[in-house]
């Protein structure tokens, strides 16, 4: 995939407010989804007559493309979700099969919070962040190879290399009790703020105000703590892959939030 590939702008996905923060390229959107510890997935109930309210669930989400064994054809990047086979959300694609749609319409969002931005006036306060909003069609994954691929993908997206360092392959009971949804992306966009505070020119011309009010960015990054062995753990030394993931991941996230905190932003009038 080329980094130049972008999702088509649609009335649903086009960012209208602060358009300079909008991003539509594939890599940026997929990376935000994969980097966010939690995604939020919204869907409508089976019948609006029975329940008029949409539901939003926090879930693990991973974006990737599946290549079937023995073929060279790679599918477009989709978002994979998983859950218990009996959950209402996992059953939705089968209850909506007669709707004539290519799947269950859902929305997936992911956000990375990178800092609190403090300006001279509260009306210019903001946050540094990276967010993605994806609309797509959810379908049950029925191919065993793709299902196993998705479960390994989701596991390793949470902790790299965890799948092969755990008890695998999964049992037949585990596979039967777990469903995987593939969300084929219909439209997507991202919105990013990654720079220092912005202030109105009139406020910048007021030296007394600038001497009284502190401005700047308080960086925020997800930092993992020191791993704590569980009561059933018999491994005496922390595995290297876990230690490196904790240390390197935390450092890279913190470095990013500190770096963007000093970048210049668009000029305010």
């Amino acid at each position: 995939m080329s980094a130049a590939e972008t999702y088509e702008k649609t009335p649903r996905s086009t960012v209208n407010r602060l358009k300079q923060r909008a991003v539509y390229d594939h890599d940026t959107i997929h990376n935000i989804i994969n980097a966010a510890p939690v995604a939020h997935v919204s869907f409508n109930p089976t019948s609006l007559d029975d329940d008029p309210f949409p539901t939003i669930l926090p879930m693990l989400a991973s974006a990737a493309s599946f290549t079937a064994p023995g073929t060279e054809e790679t599918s477009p990047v989709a978002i994979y979700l998983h859950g218990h086979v009996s959950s209402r959300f996992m059953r939705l694609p089968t209850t909506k099969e007669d709707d004539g749609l290519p799947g269950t319409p859902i929305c997936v969002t992911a956000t990375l919070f990178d800092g609190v931005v403090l300006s001279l006036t509260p009306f210019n306060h903001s946050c540094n962040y990276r967010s993605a909003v994806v609309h797509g069609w959810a379908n049950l994954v029925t191919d065993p190879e793709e299902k196993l691929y998705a479960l390994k993908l989701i596991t390793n997206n949470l902790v790299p290399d965890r799948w092969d360092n755990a008890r695998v392959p999964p049992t037949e009971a585990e596979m039967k009790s777990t469903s995987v949804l593939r969300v084929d992306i219909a439209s997507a966009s991202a919105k990013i703020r990654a720079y220092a505070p912005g202030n109105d020119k009139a406020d910048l011309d007021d030296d007394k105000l600038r001497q009284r009010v502190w401005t700047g960015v308080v960086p925020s990054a997800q930092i993992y703590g020191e791993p704590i062995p569980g009561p059933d753990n018999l491994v005496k030394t922390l595995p290297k892959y876990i230690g490196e993931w904790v240390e390197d991941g935390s450092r890279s996230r913190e470095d990013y939030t500190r770096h963007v905190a000093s970048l210049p932003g668009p000029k305010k009038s």
Side-chain angles (χ1 to χ4, degrees):
M1 176 184 299
S2 169
E5 287 188 277
T6 60
Y7 287 105
E8 179 183 0
K9 295 181 183 180
T10 68
R12 182 196 311 112
S13 65
T14 299
V15 175
N16 294 313
R17 175 85 175 108
L18 300 173
K19 293 183 178 182
Q20 71 274 17
R21 298 184 185 178
V23 182
Y24 300 92
D25 75 83
H26 288 189
D27 285 354
T28 298
I29 293 169
H30 302 160
N31 288 340
I32 291 173
I33 293 169
N34 288 333
V38 177
H40 288 88
V41 182
S42 67
F43 58 94
N44 289 319
T46 305
S47 171
L48 293 178
D49 294 331
D50 297 334
D51 184 357
F53 296 103
T55 298
I56 301 176
L57 297 177
M59 302 185 74
L60 300 177
S62 297
S65 57
F66 172 69
T67 303
T71 67
E72 296 182 358
E73 183 177 355
T74 299
S75 63
V77 171
I79 298 174
Y80 288 97
L81 309 167
H82 81 299
H84 194 272
V85 67
S86 64
S87 69
R88 178 174 60 147
F89 180 49
M90 291 294 152
R91 296 200 313 267
L92 268 182
T94 57
T95 59
K96 288 179 171 287
E97 284 180 348
D98 297 330
D99 287 356
L101 299 174
T104 299
I106 70 170
C107 180
V108 180
T109 69
T111 303
L112 300 169
F113 180 69
D114 297 322
V116 178
V117 180
L118 303 175
S119 302
L120 288 168
T121 170
F123 290 90
N124 283 332
H125 285 183
S126 187
C127 295
N128 280 339
Y129 62 89
R130 291 161 284 167
S131 65
V133 178
V134 177
H135 291 87
W137 304 102
N139 287 282
L140 277 173
V141 174
T142 57
D143 177 69
E145 294 286 349
E146 185 177 8
K147 184 177 181 180
L148 193 63
Y149 164 84
L151 293 172
K152 183 176 181 179
L153 174 77
I154 294 169
T155 301
N156 287 340
N157 192 53
L158 181 64
V159 180
D161 298 324
R162 181 61 180 177
W163 182 271
D164 289 335
N165 285 282
R167 195 265 294 152
V168 289
T171 66
E172 182 179 355
E174 288 171 334
M175 292 298 287
K176 285 185 176 180
S177 65
T178 305
S179 289
V180 172
L181 295 181
R182 183 187 64 251
V183 183
D184 297 314
I185 299 173
S187 62
S189 61
K191 199 171 183 182
I192 298 173
R193 190 195 190 281
Y195 42 84
N199 290 287
D200 297 332
K201 185 178 184 305
D203 288 335
L204 292 174
D205 290 338
D206 188 337
D207 287 343
K208 289 185 178 180
L209 174 65
R210 294 175 64 184
Q211 292 169 5
R212 180 174 63 85
V213 178
W214 188 92
T215 62
V217 175
V218 181
S220 174
Q222 183 183 14
I223 305 298
Y224 288 114
E226 182 178 350
I228 300 172
D232 300 323
N233 176 69
L234 297 179
V235 180
K236 295 182 179 180
T237 303
L238 181 71
K240 182 179 179 182
Y241 75 95
I242 296 179
E244 290 180 345
W245 164 68
V246 169
E247 184 177 351
D248 296 345
S250 297
R251 184 190 306 114
S252 65
R253 288 187 291 269
E254 188 172 21
D255 288 347
Y256 170 85
T257 62
R258 290 184 174 279
H259 170 68
V260 301
S262 59
L263 294 179
K267 295 290 185 181
K268 292 184 66 68
S269 58

